[in-house]
Amino acid sequence: MPDSRSMRHPVAPIPSDVHYWFSSDVQFHQLYPEHIQNLAARHWTPLHIANLAIQFLVPYDGVKVLDIGSGVGKFALSAAYYKPKALLYGAEQRGHLVAHAKKARRTLGLENAFFFHLNITQLDFRQFNHFYFYNSFYENLLDNERIDDTITYSPHLYSYYHGILYKKLNEMPIGTRVVTFHCLEGKIPPGYQLIEQHMGTLLKCWMKI
Ligand SMILES: C[S@@+](CC[C@H](N)C(=O)[O-])C[C@H]1O[C@@H](n2cnc3c(N)ncnc32)[C@H](O)[C@@H]1O
């Protein structure tokens, strides 16, 4: 006989069809607890933006794309869904966000997305082909709408991280592609040419020439 408590509070089955989760942003956010959902509008890439970005970042099968500051994995997971023959990597400084990304990946059953808990300063960019960047360091300039208080914020870190990103992108070979979302001017080295832009100037597609 079923436990009477579980009859009063039935647990909804988790849908196993991956397409179900990608039917809308609202649906996708159900993968996460409420406090993570509440951060989505400000901090996680919308699905239609991820789809636009990944079309540019994956010119051929087998490409390795790094999301620089991957949060709870929304960009990398959706890009992995839209481009199943690409390999998506996420590097994220907050361990608890990486745990959410890995849990969502298991639910979705996507085998071409991988997440690492580390600061991008520790990463050799030459392991990857192309890059996505959703203005990840800007949180250092925000007084409100922060993700949480688990890290130290400072304008110095904003400049420091951008200096490192600039140097790492500068060292990449010709043909490297970068997509920036909501990024300020002057953050991408001059060797990169702006190839396309979408949503006005919010989403920019760059290639090293
Ligand atoms: C705006 S969110 C974008 C998340 C994800 N890329 C997306 O589009 O859904 C930026 C993320 O970058 C992370 N981040 C910021 N600076 C970082 C650094 N130096 N190394 C690794 N992650 C960083 C933050 O913790 C945050 O989760």
Side-chain angles (χ1 to χ4, degrees), residues 119-138:
N119 196 297
I120 67 108
T121 55
Q122 301 166 267
L123 209 51
D124 177 2
F125 273 31
R126 287 178 171 265
Q127 299 172 88
F128 311 98
N129 301 112
H130 307 306
F131 303 90
Y132 176 74
F133 182 67
Y134 179 3
N135 206 13
S136 296
F137 312 139
Y138 193 71

Side-chain angles (χ1 to χ4, degrees), residues 42-45 67-71 73-75 91-94 97 118-120 132 134-137 139 147 161:
R42 179 68 184 80
H43 295 284
W44 321 136
T45 300
D67 182 8
I68 302 163
S70 50
K74 187 175 177 190
F75 172 77
E92 168 57 50
Q93 65 179 342
R94 289 177 167 95
L97 299 188
L118 42 74
N119 196 297
I120 67 108
Y132 176 74
Y134 179 3
N135 206 13
S136 296
F137 312 139
E139 62 179 359
I147 290 176
Y161 288 148

Side-chain angles (χ1 to χ4, degrees), residues 49-114:
I49 296 292
N51 199 355
L52 275 173
I54 203 63
Q55 301 308 323
F56 180 77
L57 290 172
V58 180
Y60 50 86
D61 291 351
V63 157
K64 295 180 179 175
V65 177
L66 175 69
D67 182 8
I68 302 163
S70 50
V72 292
K74 187 175 177 190
F75 172 77
L77 291 168
S78 44
Y81 168 74
Y82 294 126
K83 286 284 182 188
K85 291 186 178 166
L87 297 169
L88 273 296
Y89 298 86
E92 168 57 50
Q93 65 179 342
R94 289 177 167 95
H96 65 103
L97 299 188
V98 175
H100 285 299
K102 288 182 172 175
K103 187 169 181 220
R105 187 188 75 118
R106 282 194 297 276
T107 303
L108 295 168
L110 290 169
E111 294 184 354
N112 58 331
F114 310 91

